[in-house]
Amino acid sequence: MEGAAEKKALFLQRTLRSGQRVRYDGSIVILGDVNPGAEVVASGDIIILGALRGVAHAGATGDPTALVAALQLHATQLRIASCIGRRPDGDKASGSPEIARVQDGIVIVNPYLLGA
Amino acid sequence: MPQVIVVTSGKGGVGKTTTTANLGTALAMLNQHVVLIDADIGLRNLDVVLGLENRIVYDLVDVVEGYCRLRQALVRDKQFDNLYLLPAAQTKDKTAVNPEQMTALCQELRQDFDYIMIDCPAGIEQGFKNAIAGAEKAIIVTTPEVAAIRDADRIIGLLEAEGRGDPKLVINRLRPNMVRRGDMLDIIDVIDILAIDLLGVVPEDERVVALTNRGEAAVLQNNSRAGKAYRNIALRITGENVPLMPLAEEEGLWDRLRRAVGLGRH
């Protein structure tokens, strides 16, 4: 397909609990939750079909175009390439799907709208 | 079919020992043969909570080292002759026992008891590994606090990694009034994170502290809500289907009177 980049991905169907860590050279897709204290590290993108409450590091080998998306993005901390972001204190997550990307050196979280 | 159940939590002070003592006593009240193992070697407490401290002659480490026979180390409960305690050693530490020895010990106890409950020490090190070695089932105790839930989550992950999945959850010391005010996590919040089956909810009950200090079990008190919750959990362990009890304190006569004359709390 023209224009589609082929990336390898690790698909996990489980919940990551506190103290558990997944690292993969490629993208990671998790069908489950990532609980507080758990860590997901990928050189590519990270997609969580569930609640992301732990730490996610996408583009860990230095790719600033990597993204993190989750059905509920309550991450303790989001890291993309060498940028680190967290929600401002007191800021509440929306509870609906959101996507995080790096824009101008900072991690920006936007609602994930189909087709947008 | 005997069951070996470990009571664990990760975090200390959430009520593992109180839960073990009360569930053991409640199961004994249901005419089950029960032995409680204190796996917290070096920091034993279960004997104190059961009020059996002064009856200990031999302990778990003596058994494992072949210094005495298993039967000699078992301490019979004051009230129930179908409830026994295998006390921990107080002068040794966790390295005095290994997981293989604990497994063998549980195997031997299976011949004489219906329920073998292991009171696990806090932490995830050697003591935890010993405590879970011989158990095929696990009860996770947590309080509705973020730190306790975090540690419970870690423990569930470790149990899964050891192939001892499907642990059951006990939420301890829930304060309905605080939940109502939004100052405490409620049951749904806890289940949402931990995502395991709920075995029961024990409301905070000041009397438990007083009873525990005297070495008495809350389950023996008919007027204790915590005691009732533990009795229900014991029934669920034996396979009975008992609905969760309403958590709110029942209204006392005084409250009803106040309300009747228009001084009610809202």
PDB file of all heavy atoms in Angstrom, chain A residues 59-72:
ATOM      1  N   GLY A  59       8.716   5.573  21.165  1.00  0.00           N
ATOM      2  CA  GLY A  59       9.877   6.122  20.446  1.00  0.00           C
ATOM      3  C   GLY A  59      11.103   6.146  21.325  1.00  0.00           C
ATOM      4  O   GLY A  59      11.902   7.085  21.282  1.00  0.00           O
ATOM      5  N   ALA A  60      11.254   5.103  22.115  1.00  0.00           N
ATOM      6  CA  ALA A  60      12.278   5.090  23.172  1.00  0.00           C
ATOM      7  C   ALA A  60      13.702   5.160  22.623  1.00  0.00           C
ATOM      8  O   ALA A  60      14.618   5.551  23.337  1.00  0.00           O
ATOM      9  CB  ALA A  60      12.112   3.852  24.046  1.00  0.00           C
ATOM     10  N   THR A  61      13.889   4.783  21.357  1.00  0.00           N
ATOM     11  CA  THR A  61      15.243   4.863  20.796  1.00  0.00           C
ATOM     12  C   THR A  61      15.467   6.195  20.086  1.00  0.00           C
ATOM     13  O   THR A  61      16.442   6.366  19.364  1.00  0.00           O
ATOM     14  CB  THR A  61      15.492   3.680  19.837  1.00  0.00           C
ATOM     15  OG1 THR A  61      14.368   3.573  18.950  1.00  0.00           O
ATOM     16  CG2 THR A  61      15.654   2.378  20.594  1.00  0.00           C
ATOM     17  N   GLY A  62      14.533   7.130  20.290  1.00  0.00           N
ATOM     18  CA  GLY A  62      14.773   8.482  19.782  1.00  0.00           C
ATOM     19  C   GLY A  62      13.864   8.948  18.661  1.00  0.00           C
ATOM     20  O   GLY A  62      14.153   9.930  18.003  1.00  0.00           O
ATOM     21  N   ASP A  63      12.728   8.234  18.447  1.00  0.00           N
ATOM     22  CA  ASP A  63      11.814   8.629  17.374  1.00  0.00           C
ATOM     23  C   ASP A  63      10.742   9.585  17.892  1.00  0.00           C
ATOM     24  O   ASP A  63       9.791   9.172  18.557  1.00  0.00           O
ATOM     25  CB  ASP A  63      11.161   7.358  16.800  1.00  0.00           C
ATOM     26  CG  ASP A  63      10.120   7.695  15.741  1.00  0.00           C
ATOM     27  OD1 ASP A  63      10.025   8.868  15.357  1.00  0.00           O
ATOM     28  OD2 ASP A  63       9.410   6.770  15.315  1.00  0.00           O
ATOM     29  N   PRO A  64      10.851  10.880  17.595  1.00  0.00           N
ATOM     30  CA  PRO A  64       9.892  11.855  18.143  1.00  0.00           C
ATOM     31  C   PRO A  64       8.534  11.815  17.436  1.00  0.00           C
ATOM     32  O   PRO A  64       7.607  12.503  17.864  1.00  0.00           O
ATOM     33  CB  PRO A  64      10.592  13.198  17.918  1.00  0.00           C
ATOM     34  CG  PRO A  64      11.492  12.967  16.758  1.00  0.00           C
ATOM     35  CD  PRO A  64      11.870  11.521  16.748  1.00  0.00           C
ATOM     36  N   THR A  65       8.403  11.004  16.371  1.00  0.00           N
ATOM     37  CA  THR A  65       7.106  10.919  15.696  1.00  0.00           C
ATOM     38  C   THR A  65       6.228   9.815  16.299  1.00  0.00           C
ATOM     39  O   THR A  65       5.101   9.626  15.877  1.00  0.00           O
ATOM     40  CB  THR A  65       7.283  10.631  14.187  1.00  0.00           C
ATOM     41  OG1 THR A  65       7.857   9.317  14.046  1.00  0.00           O
ATOM     42  CG2 THR A  65       8.182  11.650  13.520  1.00  0.00           C
ATOM     43  N   ALA A  66       6.774   9.096  17.275  1.00  0.00           N
ATOM     44  CA  ALA A  66       6.001   8.008  17.898  1.00  0.00           C
ATOM     45  C   ALA A  66       4.811   8.580  18.664  1.00  0.00           C
ATOM     46  O   ALA A  66       4.820   9.746  19.080  1.00  0.00           O
ATOM     47  CB  ALA A  66       6.895   7.206  18.830  1.00  0.00           C
ATOM     48  N   LEU A  67       3.794   7.766  18.840  1.00  0.00           N
ATOM     49  CA  LEU A  67       2.607   8.226  19.565  1.00  0.00           C
ATOM     50  C   LEU A  67       2.181   7.220  20.628  1.00  0.00           C
ATOM     51  O   LEU A  67       2.560   6.048  20.588  1.00  0.00           O
ATOM     52  CB  LEU A  67       1.458   8.468  18.580  1.00  0.00           C
ATOM     53  CG  LEU A  67       0.937   7.273  17.770  1.00  0.00           C
ATOM     54  CD1 LEU A  67      -0.130   6.515  18.519  1.00  0.00           C
ATOM     55  CD2 LEU A  67       0.399   7.769  16.431  1.00  0.00           C
ATOM     56  N   VAL A  68       1.412   7.742  21.580  1.00  0.00           N
ATOM     57  CA  VAL A  68       0.809   6.882  22.605  1.00  0.00           C
ATOM     58  C   VAL A  68      -0.686   7.135  22.558  1.00  0.00           C
ATOM     59  O   VAL A  68      -1.126   8.284  22.603  1.00  0.00           O
ATOM     60  CB  VAL A  68       1.325   7.217  24.026  1.00  0.00           C
ATOM     61  CG1 VAL A  68       0.640   6.346  25.056  1.00  0.00           C
ATOM     62  CG2 VAL A  68       2.837   7.047  24.106  1.00  0.00           C
ATOM     63  N   ALA A  69      -1.473   6.062  22.438  1.00  0.00           N
ATOM     64  CA  ALA A  69      -2.923   6.222  22.453  1.00  0.00           C
ATOM     65  C   ALA A  69      -3.528   5.217  23.416  1.00  0.00           C
ATOM     66  O   ALA A  69      -2.998   4.118  23.596  1.00  0.00           O
ATOM     67  CB  ALA A  69      -3.488   6.015  21.048  1.00  0.00           C
ATOM     68  N   ALA A  70      -4.610   5.607  24.072  1.00  0.00           N
ATOM     69  CA  ALA A  70      -5.270   4.699  25.009  1.00  0.00           C
ATOM     70  C   ALA A  70      -6.751   5.047  25.078  1.00  0.00           C
ATOM     71  O   ALA A  70      -7.142   6.194  24.837  1.00  0.00           O
ATOM     72  CB  ALA A  70      -4.644   4.812  26.397  1.00  0.00           C
ATOM     73  N   LEU A  71      -7.549   4.032  25.406  1.00  0.00           N
ATOM     74  CA  LEU A  71      -8.989   4.281  25.573  1.00  0.00           C
ATOM     75  C   LEU A  71      -9.211   5.210  26.757  1.00  0.00           C
ATOM     76  O   LEU A  71     -10.104   6.045  26.746  1.00  0.00           O
ATOM     77  CB  LEU A  71      -9.735   2.969  25.767  1.00  0.00           C
ATOM     78  CG  LEU A  71      -9.704   2.003  24.577  1.00  0.00           C
ATOM     79  CD1 LEU A  71     -10.601   0.801  24.842  1.00  0.00           C
ATOM     80  CD2 LEU A  71     -10.136   2.701  23.287  1.00  0.00           C
ATOM     81  N   GLN A  72      -8.402   5.008  27.806  1.00  0.00           N
ATOM     82  CA  GLN A  72      -8.412   5.959  28.926  1.00  0.00           C
ATOM     83  C   GLN A  72      -6.961   6.296  29.227  1.00  0.00           C
ATOM     84  O   GLN A  72      -6.199   5.446  29.672  1.00  0.00           O
ATOM     85  CB  GLN A  72      -9.052   5.340  30.163  1.00  0.00           C
ATOM     86  CG  GLN A  72     -10.553   5.229  30.067  1.00  0.00           C
ATOM     87  CD  GLN A  72     -11.068   4.293  31.135  1.00  0.00           C
ATOM     88  OE1 GLN A  72     -11.026   3.080  30.978  1.00  0.00           O
ATOM     89  NE2 GLN A  72     -11.523   4.848  32.233  1.00  0.00           N
TER      90      GLN A  72
END
